[in-house]
């Protein structure tokens, strides 16, 4: 397995842990209709933490497991900065997302 898969897999695990640490992890998934949104980041149906948990993490994990090409441009960190603009303690989560963005851009 290429190092990018191992590195991004580790980053995804850190992301899950940070979502859990910040109590942003949900026990129950949203309705299937909410997950079927065609808007970027499902902004019309999900919060950013929901999108990360129920869309981003599973899709990225599947790409890694199958060693499929990973996206080169995600741009999640700027979205997170906007979403968490007035939220105390969100800096570690935003930093993790920026690190994931940067690693994916490196290829």
């Amino acid at each position: 397995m290429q190092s990018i898969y191992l590195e991004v897999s580790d980053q995804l695990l850190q992301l899950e842990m940070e979502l859990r640490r910040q109590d942003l992890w949900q026990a129950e998934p949203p309705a299937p209709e909410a997950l079927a949104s065609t808007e970027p980041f499902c902004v019309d149906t999900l919060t950013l933490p929901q999108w990360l948990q129920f869309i981003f993490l599973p899709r990225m994990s599947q790409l890694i497991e199958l060693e499929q090409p990973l996206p080169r441009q995600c741009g999640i960190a700027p979205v997170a900065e906007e979403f968490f603009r007035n939220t105390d303690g969100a800096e570690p989560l935003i930093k993790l997302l920026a690190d994931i963005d940067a690693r994916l851009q490196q290829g």
Side-chain angles (χ1 to χ4, degrees):
M1 182 176 278
Q2 296 178 21
S3 67
I4 186 170
Y5 293 114
L6 298 173
E7 292 169 24
V8 173
S9 180
D10 183 55
Q11 289 175 317
L12 296 177
L13 181 59
Q14 291 176 42
L15 176 58
E16 179 181 337
M17 291 180 347
E18 186 61 25
L19 288 168
R20 288 178 184 274
R21 189 186 73 74
Q22 293 194 25
D23 202 25
L24 297 171
W25 194 263
Q26 288 184 214
E28 298 296 322
E33 305 83 51
L35 298 172
S37 170
T38 58
E39 293 294 317
F41 304 102
C42 298
V43 295
D44 58 335
T45 59
L46 301 175
T47 66
L48 181 63
Q50 288 174 319
W51 180 82
L52 290 168
Q53 178 181 351
F54 296 106
I55 304 290
F56 181 72
L57 286 170
R59 285 186 184 169
M60 290 295 290
S61 296
Q62 183 178 30
L63 291 175
I64 290 169
E65 184 178 323
L66 299 174
E67 295 189 42
Q68 295 292 306
L70 299 175
R72 295 295 294 259
Q73 298 289 332
C74 274
I76 301 171
V79 175
E81 288 172 358
E82 181 63 26
F83 183 85
F84 292 111
R85 185 177 354 160
N86 297 318
T87 304
D88 290 333
E91 294 81 13
L93 184 56
I94 294 168
K95 167 98 171 69
L96 277 170
L97 293 169
D99 291 346
I100 292 170
D101 283 347
R103 183 60 185 101
L104 291 173
Q105 282 181 335
Q106 290 174 4

